[in-house]
Amino acid sequence: MMAARPSIAFQCLRLLRGRLLAVCFGAGVDSTAMLVALRLAGIRPHVITFADVGEGEKPETMVHLDRMNAVLISWGWPQISTCRKIPLASTGYDSLYGNCLANETLPSLAFGMKSCSRKWKQIPQDQFIKGARSGPNAARPHPVWVEAQRTGQRILKLIGYDCGRADLRRSRNLAMADADFDYAYPLQMLGWRREDCIEIITDVLGADYVPIKSACFFCPASKIWELFWLAAHHPDLLDRALLLERNALTGRHSRFDEVEFGATWEEMVGNADRFPSTSTTVGLGRSFAWNQWARVNDVVDESYRVRRDAADRARFEIRAAELRTAGNADDRRFPVRPWSLAA
């Protein structure tokens, strides 16, 4: 499973040696490649954390998590520690999806903010390491935090940002340290882009270890090909995303302005080909509504329920493949789908 690689190629990671290392594992291509790179460089992290937002995770992501834990065991590394935010019982929900549904709103990313990621991903991982003194998330600090406090060292968090344009922009806007942690980006130290990450996973672990994109099934950052992929593979999850959007855009917190658009949100979704250009968030796609996209592309029936027969699912998968670019991870574990064989 582990291919030989010239160690000199990983000498740029030598600055990580001797540090207390915490890997933030997102279960996607970049973070998986980061684990492989650390292994090839002979650098063993002290803790690896994954933030589970609950029912929002795709099933394939959780399968990949289990498979990578088996790899880590074979390496003699610490297993991935799953971290979850536990809301107060009075909220009535225990996941990001439930949070949005109960409050009749969309994930904050749909409004150009990132509080959903901080609330449901960053803070739970920080609390797992630092511990929490009270509340439903109360827990003792991880031994690596205890060691850092005892010795006066700072923990270095490793983030899987690659050298693609979007990740370079994200990392430039982030501080290299905060009150509790230092931060480093091993893939950028190596100069790897997404294609390099896919290649290293394939070479070292095998093509079937290249994961799908790790993100909530209702993530506002989803691209059109991912919506078609979701319709093909998980119509039930796309149904739930469409429900979430309808619930928010017709609920008490909707920012949709009927006066500005000259029609209700439901009328626009049901009759217009697109929403007019506006700064108002009109759906999970920010500038477009997933419900409208689904209607226009014949993804749903008259009741806005995702079509499920074999021919439709094959059609959706073909569209996803046509729109997917080379830098996007393909789910190579299931190259032939049952519905792909339909006449």
Side-chain angles (χ1 to χ4, degrees):
M1 182 178 290
M2 178 61 68
R5 287 267 169 169
S7 59
I8 191 171
F10 298 90
Q11 285 303 306
C12 60
L13 299 183
R14 64 185 181 279
L15 296 177
L16 307 181
R17 298 183 186 278
R19 297 292 303 270
L20 296 175
L21 302 177
V23 168
C24 296
F25 184 68
V29 168
D30 285 352
S31 59
T32 300
M34 179 170 63
L35 289 180
V36 173
L38 293 174
R39 167 69 169 172
L40 292 174
I43 298 170
R44 184 181 186 275
H46 297 80
V47 61
I48 306 170
T49 59
F50 168 77
D52 179 4
V53 299
E55 57 189 315
E57 302 289 353
K58 301 186 190 81
E60 290 84 357
T61 296
M62 305 311 292
V63 169
H64 182 65
L65 197 72
D66 291 339
R67 299 186 76 206
M68 286 306 299
N69 261 330
V71 170
L72 295 174
I73 290 173
S74 73
W75 291 353
W77 279 23
Q79 292 190 61
I80 301 162
S81 298
T82 297
C83 314
R84 289 194 65 174
K85 173 180 173 56
I86 305 174
L88 293 169
S90 58
T91 64
Y93 56 77
D94 60 2
S95 68
L96 173 56
Y97 182 88
N99 186 178
C100 292
L101 201 64
N103 292 336
E104 298 181 358
T105 190
L106 301 173
S108 64
L109 191 58
F111 306 109
M113 300 176 289
K114 296 185 178 181
S115 61
C116 57
S117 178
R118 173 169 171 73
K119 178 178 178 181
W120 293 91
K121 292 188 174 184
Q122 180 184 339
I123 292 177
Q125 291 181 86
D126 287 353
Q127 289 182 329
F128 178 83
I129 294 174
K130 296 168 53 181
R133 296 189 178 186
S134 61
N137 297 280
R140 292 181 178 275
H142 188 275
V144 72
W145 179 261
V146 175
E147 176 67 8
Q149 300 306 298
R150 184 184 69 82
T151 60
Q153 299 180 70
R154 286 178 60 83
I155 295 172
L156 180 63
K157 274 195 171 187
L158 304 182
I159 311 294
Y161 285 162
D162 62 34
C163 287
R165 183 180 302 173
D167 277 359
L168 285 173
R169 182 175 63 250
R170 293 186 187 101
S171 61
R172 287 194 197 102
N173 293 329
L174 296 174
M176 296 302 294
D178 59 24
D180 299 312
F181 304 101
D182 294 337
Y183 297 90
Y185 311 100
L187 300 180
Q188 293 183 357
M189 296 168 70
L190 290 164
W192 287 3
R193 299 175 65 88
R194 184 64 54 89
E195 293 87 346
D196 301 310
C197 293
I198 293 173
E199 181 180 355
I200 196 70
I201 296 170
T202 301
D203 288 352
V204 175
L205 299 179
D208 56 341
Y209 278 84
V210 177
I212 65 169
K213 179 180 177 181
S214 175
C216 295
F217 67 82
F218 53 95
C219 179
S222 299
K223 296 178 173 60
I224 295 298
W225 77 264
E226 294 174 287
L227 301 187
F228 278 114
W229 183 92
L230 198 62
H233 292 262
H234 299 293
D236 55 328
L237 296 183
L238 183 53
D239 274 338
R240 294 179 63 194
L242 298 178
L243 170 64
L244 182 71
E245 182 183 71
R246 291 194 298 272
N247 187 61
L249 270 297
T250 59
R252 62 187 183 277
H253 300 307
S254 173
R255 299 184 181 186
F256 182 81
D257 189 343
E258 182 178 346
V259 174
E260 177 184 352
F261 292 94
T264 65
W265 185 84
E266 296 97 319
E267 289 171 335
M268 293 293 295
V269 165
N271 301 306
D273 287 340
R274 63 181 62 87
F275 282 86
S277 178
T278 177
S279 60
T280 301
T281 295
V282 298
L284 276 169
R286 297 184 67 177
S287 61
F288 73 95
W290 285 21
N291 277 270
Q292 186 180 53
W293 164 85
R295 176 187 65 80
V296 171
N297 288 277
D298 199 28
V299 173
V300 294
D301 59 21
E302 295 78 7
S303 300
Y304 286 86
R305 186 171 184 269
V306 177
R307 300 184 186 279
R308 285 165 164 76
D309 64 45
D312 282 316
R313 296 180 77 170
R315 173 168 61 90
F316 302 152
E317 182 151 37
I318 289 171
R319 288 296 291 141
E322 291 172 344
L323 296 171
R324 183 188 292 118
T325 63
N328 295 128
D330 190 2
D331 185 351
R332 306 180 187 187
R333 290 170 290 180
F334 307 105
V336 178
R337 280 63 166 182
W339 57 83
S340 299
L341 303 178

